Amino acid sequence: MNPLPQNTLLGMDRADLLSLMGSLGEPPYRANQILDAVYRQRVDSADKISTLPQQLRAKLVEASVVVGLPRIEQRFLSQDGTVRYLIGFPDGQSVETVWMPEGDGGEADEGLETISPADSSGRGWSRATICVSSQVGCAVDCQFCLTALLGVKRNLSAGEIAGQVLAVLNDQNVSPQHDRVNLVFMGMGEPFLNYDNFIKAVRLLVHEAGLAESRMTVSTAGIVPRIPQFGQEVIRPRLAISLNASNNNLRSRLMPLNNKWNLEMLMAAAREFPLRNRERVTFEYVLLQGVNDSRENAREVVELLRGIRARVNLIALNPGPGIAFATPDADAVAAFQQILRDAGILTFVRRPRGRDIFAACGQLKRTVEIATSPAL
Ligand code: SAH
């Protein structure tokens, strides 16, 4: 049932395909034809690659070569236009991928774009963001996040990571060449604990699918040794770091990985991160009522960020069953934001997207029983 990875076209890069074509006695330019069919035309089976001669298509099918586009198993539509996709793989595992027309406000180009350009597409949106998963479940165990409750089941392959994007683009009938599509690697899982597959997927999406790296952001909970490595990549998304607490005591309580990589290590890596022209490091901060949302916490964040070209995204907790924290009210969020702004830090409040369908930050845990979920 589960095709061998080497028989799955999605996830293969140019080098992989050149060696496959070589082993089949085919000329190298076949690799380009396959890359174009898989990543730009987004065909779902090898026999549909119309640029290949019939004979080669038959040969591929005979060798059980599949494209490996993941299957959309379910769609949940939010009142705000967000769609949460349940996407399945041949081994029966599944992840969630979220489509957010208009972006989510938090990922606008470095906050410069406060007003979306008028929608001229006639589709009702002018840009969209896809939130991509990197693992089935997550091992990091952040106390406020529903994905943590799943534990980690397995890593996704590069093809499965890129495949989520292609499946959603197909479903929305969108072409990244013509429409503004942002990607955030902020779905299920910790991308920096599946680093090689994540970065291979990025390269495929940039080189072969034609998405812009400047429109991609990856978020890490703080796998510190991967941060300098990521900084050396020639092709890389922007970096976001889930800060979520203003001192080590608090952060270790909320995010146990802080016991391994504490704030001093994390902030040193952030400070040394090689930023590009006009680029900033984004820090996400989930506000938990009465836990990390005081004025004192805000002042500590200001101190932590000194000397870093930073941008802060505040996220009021998205609640969920089994999460023992409460969402602060809008006034508390605004007061926190004001302290950061008064200190000269570019700070935004992320608008929650798709809370009603469990699609918002920290809510991805493959919830299927929407009707029986508590009202949010
Ligand atoms: N593992 C990576 C990628 C996931 S990004 C990371 O932690 O960065 C998910 C973002 O949602 C993180 O910034 C996280 O702090 C935030 N988040 C997690 N649970 C949340 C919740 N219940 N409400 C709001 N934001 C949450």
Side-chain angles (χ1 to χ4, degrees), residues 4 31 45 49 76 105 114 196 228 231 233 239 267 304 319-320 330 367-368:
L4 298 170
S45 75
I49 307 180
F76 301 93
T114 44
D196 293 346
E233 299 289 349
L239 176 65
M267 301 317 288
L304 285 175
T367 303
V368 176

Side-chain angles (χ1 to χ4, degrees), residues 12-24 26-32:
M12 290 191 190
D13 58 18
R14 186 170 303 264
D16 299 331
L17 283 167
L18 283 172
S19 84
L20 177 66
M21 289 301 108
S23 71
L24 294 172
E26 293 289 332
Y29 66 83
R30 297 282 181 229
N32 291 345

Side-chain angles (χ1 to χ4, degrees), residues 9-86:
L9 296 176
L10 191 56
M12 290 191 190
D13 58 18
R14 186 170 303 264
D16 299 331
L17 283 167
L18 283 172
S19 84
L20 177 66
M21 289 301 108
S23 71
L24 294 172
E26 293 289 332
Y29 66 83
R30 297 282 181 229
N32 291 345
Q33 293 173 318
I34 294 175
L35 288 169
D36 188 74
V38 170
Y39 295 98
R40 290 187 195 255
Q41 299 165 39
R42 306 194 297 258
V43 299
D44 58 7
S45 75
D47 61 336
K48 289 192 190 147
I49 307 180
S50 56
T51 45
L52 299 183
Q54 200 52 255
Q55 211 186 359
L56 174 55
R57 281 189 252 173
K59 219 191 300 184
L60 291 175
V61 171
E62 203 174 305
S64 314
V65 171
V66 297
V67 170
L69 206 58
R71 220 167 61 86
I72 292 177
E73 291 180 348
Q74 288 196 56
R75 293 174 187 79
F76 301 93
L77 177 64
S78 164
Q79 288 166 0
D80 67 18
T82 299
V83 183
R84 178 166 63 92
Y85 290 95
L86 198 63

Side-chain angles (χ1 to χ4, degrees), residues 137-158:
C138 189
V140 178
D141 205 24
C142 302
Q143 299 298 296
F144 41 79
C145 179
L146 281 178
T147 308
L149 302 177
L150 295 174
V152 66
K153 309 276 191 242
R154 69 169 174 85
N155 280 338
L156 295 183
S157 66

